[in-house]
Amino acid sequence: MATAAAVAVARGAGARAAAALWGGCGSVARGRPRAGPARPLCTAPGTAPDMKGYLWERYREAKRSADDLVPSIMSNLLNPDAIFSNNEMSLSDIEIYGFDYDYTLVFYSKHLHTLIFNAARDLLINEHRYPVEIRKYEYDPNFAIRGLHYDVQRAVLMKIDAFHYIQLGTVYRGLSVVPDEEVIEMYEGSHVPLEQMSDFYGKSSHGNTMKQFMDIFSLPEMSLLSCVNEYFLKNNIDYEPVHLYKDVKDSIRDVHIKGIMYSAIEADIEKYICYAEQTRAVLAKLADHGKKMFLITNSPSSFVDKGMRYIVGKDWRDLFDVVIVQAEKPSFFNDKRRPFRKVNEKGVLLWDKIHKLQKGQIYKQGNLYEFLKLTGWRGSKVLYFGDHIYSDLADLTLKHGWRTGAIIPELRSELRIMNTEQYIQTMTWLQTLTGLLEQMQVHRDPESQLVLQEWKKERKEMREMTKNFFNTQFGSLFRTDQNPTYFLRRLSRFADIYMASLSCLLNYDVSHTFYPRRTPLQHELPAWSDGAPTFRLPLLQEAHAK
């Protein structure tokens, strides 16, 4: 997976470093580890081998080899402004570009999540009669990450991998981590059965007890849930977790539906909207090349108009062939019954029947089937961008054959972390040590097992260190300890390409073809990737050269 490309480079490098140590006395293993145990240090005839000395010598050699690999990895850093591909796609085939609005065309400042948190917290107090003492809690932007699961009945927030396993150490009740032993007892292990996982859209419905938070707007919701849980727990207040979840969900929803968020942004647009994402430049480039463009958003008309005037200009509608607001995605992609309605310049809904979607006109609601009928824009010539993997992208790729692009703002910051020397050193040694453990586990004598236990302890500590590089509580958006996260699994399934922002498109020609990297499967020879770890990677120095 391209987000983990630096990890893959380190893994390949680590494997090569470990492989050089697996041959025993004076030999060097080539290719895959050979069957059978590596030979211990040569000793005099009739004497017992010094297994402890032998293993630590292998350890020191592996450490030196890993250290020697770091400079070559540091010379091949990944470009945070690159576009990464899950599925081969050529932009020369794309005639029509579609966009979501929030966190796709427009990005918001850190103040917005604080606004949502505070407004929802006050709604809990004023309308749901929650204790006024919860007002002491403030939004912490560093607490949660996207993609987490929340067990509605147990009131715990956690990170789950692509195989439905909980990453131990990332389970939080309130603001405190739940001990591993308690998690294992609670779930009878660390695996979450399919019937308990969230439904297709990440919701807790139809008997599913888990809710997955995929929306960037859900970050303050997770924090508020955790803060109120924390207050109840600290004060020994008996409460029903299901009611708390519903009340917080409703309060967050009301911040949007009642217009609290929209009014605040419109009143101080410079405070809340980031101007730097080069949206106009992207749209102008596509227009200059004759591409058709459309906008489908759940946000209201006046809110979108003011935001687009700010980031693009008062003539922003001239760039779009179709503009649809309050679409109610994902229902928009599945409900065939709702007709489109025109919205006039004053925001008034008109009653006339829609026979054609006109350029420069704003429409409300509608459905994708009517959209396809009126525009004829079908299949793989359409590329739609959005930040919500379920609501924006899933139905389009599974049911309608559109190409999809995910906007993942967190990607840029994670890649910058992965490009640091400290991270590369840590990952290179972690992967090398893992390879060493895999090979040396054949030594079952007590002396060897004591050494191996020390290595396992070091490996566990290093895993915790790599988690803390990204987020102290939950780690990377894209990885658990060694597996992809459930978030990344869904991203890989529903997005052909993904990037940190639309501005990344400015780095590519409109006929560019995106090729996914061929990473070896577990049963395949790694020669074509290990031998050339930079093959087809979007590297930072190449971007600088351009």
Side-chain angles (χ1 to χ4, degrees):
M1 204 50 53
T3 51
V7 178
V9 172
R11 174 179 290 176
R16 293 193 299 277
L21 308 170
W22 290 341
C25 290
S27 67
V28 177
R30 298 186 181 275
R32 291 191 170 233
R34 67 187 186 188
R39 289 183 287 141
L41 289 173
C42 300
T43 56
T47 62
D50 177 14
M51 292 305 303
K52 181 177 180 180
Y54 165 72
L55 291 172
W56 282 114
E57 181 59 28
R58 299 282 78 77
Y59 176 96
R60 287 187 289 271
E61 289 179 15
K63 194 72 168 66
R64 287 192 295 269
S65 297
D67 290 342
D68 290 343
L69 285 166
V70 170
S72 64
I73 299 174
M74 287 294 299
S75 66
N76 292 297
L77 301 180
L78 288 166
N79 181 8
D81 295 315
I83 294 176
F84 300 90
S85 175
N86 292 319
N87 192 19
E88 186 172 327
M89 185 185 74
S90 177
L91 293 181
S92 61
D93 297 330
I94 305 300
E95 300 174 11
I96 305 121
Y97 286 76
F99 305 93
D100 181 32
Y101 177 69
D102 298 299
Y103 288 106
T104 300
L105 290 174
V106 63
F107 279 69
Y108 297 101
S109 72
K110 60 183 180 181
H111 302 293
L112 180 59
H113 287 172
T114 300
L115 166 71
I116 295 172
F117 179 93
N118 291 344
R121 180 197 60 199
D122 292 345
L123 285 172
L124 280 179
I125 296 170
N126 299 330
E127 298 191 8
H128 297 275
R129 305 177 66 85
Y130 275 68
V132 295
E133 288 81 5
I134 68 172
R135 192 169 275 125
K136 70 180 181 181
Y137 291 99
E138 297 181 351
Y139 178 64
D140 179 4
N142 299 314
F143 175 69
I145 62 172
R146 257 203 304 170
L148 299 178
H149 280 79
Y150 183 77
D151 190 322
V152 174
Q153 295 179 342
R154 295 185 174 98
V156 288
L157 188 66
M158 69 191 76
K159 185 176 172 185
I160 295 178
D161 72 13
F163 302 97
H164 296 193
Y165 281 92
I166 300 166
Q167 182 178 358
L168 297 177
T170 69
V171 181
Y172 276 74
R173 181 182 290 115
L175 300 175
S176 302
V177 66
V178 180
D180 295 348
E181 298 78 12
E182 186 178 343
V183 174
I184 291 170
E185 181 180 358
M186 194 186 310
Y187 291 96
E188 299 180 351
S190 60
H191 183 263
V192 179
L194 178 63
E195 61 270 15
Q196 293 182 28
M197 291 291 287
S198 53
D199 69 8
F200 180 79
Y201 294 107
K203 298 178 181 179
S204 58
S205 60
H206 309 297
N208 303 99
T209 60
M210 294 281 188
K211 154 75 177 179
Q212 188 180 19
F213 291 102
M214 298 294 277
D215 193 352
I216 299 176
F217 283 126
S218 67
L219 290 171
E221 183 175 355
M222 286 184 275
S223 294
L224 185 56
L225 266 172
S226 299
C227 288
V228 181
N229 271 315
E230 180 76 3
Y231 174 79
F232 286 153
L233 292 168
K234 291 295 185 184
N235 291 277
N236 297 314
I237 298 174
D238 191 25
Y239 70 103
E240 173 53 60
V242 175
H243 297 334
L244 171 60
Y245 167 74
K246 183 180 184 303
D247 291 343
V248 170
K249 181 181 72 171
D250 290 347
S251 296
I252 292 287
R253 179 202 62 197
D254 287 347
V255 172
H256 292 76
I257 289 180
K258 293 184 176 182
I260 299 171
M261 183 189 81
Y262 301 129
S263 298
I265 293 174
E266 289 181 39
D268 197 350
I269 206 162
E270 292 184 1
K271 177 180 179 181
Y272 291 107
I273 290 184
C274 298
Y275 187 69
E277 282 302 329
Q278 299 179 288
T279 298
R280 175 159 188 113
V282 173
L283 298 176
K285 177 181 178 179
L286 296 175
D288 289 345
H289 285 84
K291 305 298 182 181
K292 295 184 181 297
M293 289 180 281
F294 64 94
L295 169 62
I296 302 177
T297 175
N298 288 348
S299 293
S301 175
S302 62
F303 176 73
V304 173
D305 183 60
K306 288 185 178 179
M308 290 297 285
R309 284 173 179 266
Y310 179 69
I311 62 173
V312 176
K314 62 182 181 180
D315 61 341
W316 70 271
R317 282 196 232 171
D318 295 340
L319 294 169
F320 289 90
D321 294 271
V322 179
V323 176
I324 301 167
V325 299
Q326 292 178 278
E328 297 183 18
K329 297 176 293 183
S331 296
F332 179 87
F333 301 128
N334 298 291
D335 190 344
K336 300 180 181 181
R337 298 167 296 177
R338 295 184 311 159
F340 286 107
R341 295 194 74 171
K342 281 185 182 180
V343 183
N344 70 12
E345 294 295 332
K346 296 182 179 180
V348 177
L349 292 173
L350 305 180
W351 46 261
D352 36 333
K353 186 174 178 64
I354 306 301
H355 297 282
K356 181 180 180 182
L357 297 177
Q358 299 173 329
K359 187 169 186 176
Q361 174 66 53
I362 293 180
Y363 299 90
K364 179 183 176 181
Q365 295 180 345
N367 64 83
L368 185 63
Y369 297 90
E370 189 71 12
F371 177 89
L372 298 176
K373 178 181 176 182
L374 294 173
T375 63
W377 296 344
R378 299 175 182 275
S380 58
K381 65 181 179 180
V382 184
L383 171 59
Y384 185 80
F385 292 95
D387 67 289
H388 198 302
I389 295 171
Y390 296 149
S391 296
D392 287 326
L393 308 180
D395 289 313
L396 292 178
T397 187
L398 292 178
K399 299 179 181 180
H400 302 287
W402 285 11
R403 308 311 296 265
T404 52
I407 304 299
I408 313 293
E410 302 93 334
L411 181 61
R412 185 174 282 128
S413 60
E414 290 219 6
L415 284 172
R416 286 172 177 160
I417 291 170
M418 291 165 65
N419 281 343
T420 62
E421 185 172 2
Q422 185 181 10
Y423 179 85
I424 290 172
Q425 285 177 335
T426 302
M427 282 305 306
T428 304
W429 174 232
L430 176 59
Q431 294 305 114
T432 303
L433 182 60
T434 300
L436 200 59
L437 270 166
E438 182 180 15
Q439 179 66 11
M440 296 303 173
Q441 66 182 321
V442 295
H443 301 295
R444 301 296 181 184
D445 59 282
E447 190 176 35
S448 297
Q449 287 299 305
L450 286 175
V451 174
L452 294 178
Q453 287 303 317
E454 287 190 52
W455 293 0
K456 289 178 181 179
K457 181 181 178 183
E458 180 182 1
R459 180 173 180 261
K460 182 178 180 180
E461 292 170 351
M462 292 181 67
R463 281 181 159 189
E464 183 66 21
M465 187 187 306
T466 58
K467 184 190 81 171
N468 293 341
F469 278 124
F470 302 99
N471 176 281
T472 305
Q473 290 75 232
F474 301 102
S476 168
L477 176 65
F478 304 102
R479 274 200 181 274
T480 57
D481 287 325
Q482 73 280 347
N483 292 332
T485 58
Y486 194 82
F487 176 92
L488 183 59
R489 173 184 173 181
R490 307 302 267 178
L491 173 65
S492 303
R493 179 66 184 89
F494 300 137
D496 291 297
I497 56 175
Y498 60 102
M499 65 209 76
S501 74
L502 282 177
S503 63
C504 298
L505 283 169
L506 297 173
N507 300 322
Y508 298 85
D509 186 82
V510 292
S511 61
H512 185 88
T513 298
F514 296 100
Y515 297 96
R517 290 189 305 113
R518 182 186 175 105
T519 53
L521 302 176
Q522 295 297 316
H523 62 275
E524 292 181 324
L525 285 170
W528 51 82
S529 63
D530 279 2
T534 63
F535 178 67
R536 225 185 274 143
L537 288 174
L539 300 177
L540 191 58
Q541 72 269 28
E542 292 178 359
H544 289 164
K546 291 179 181 178

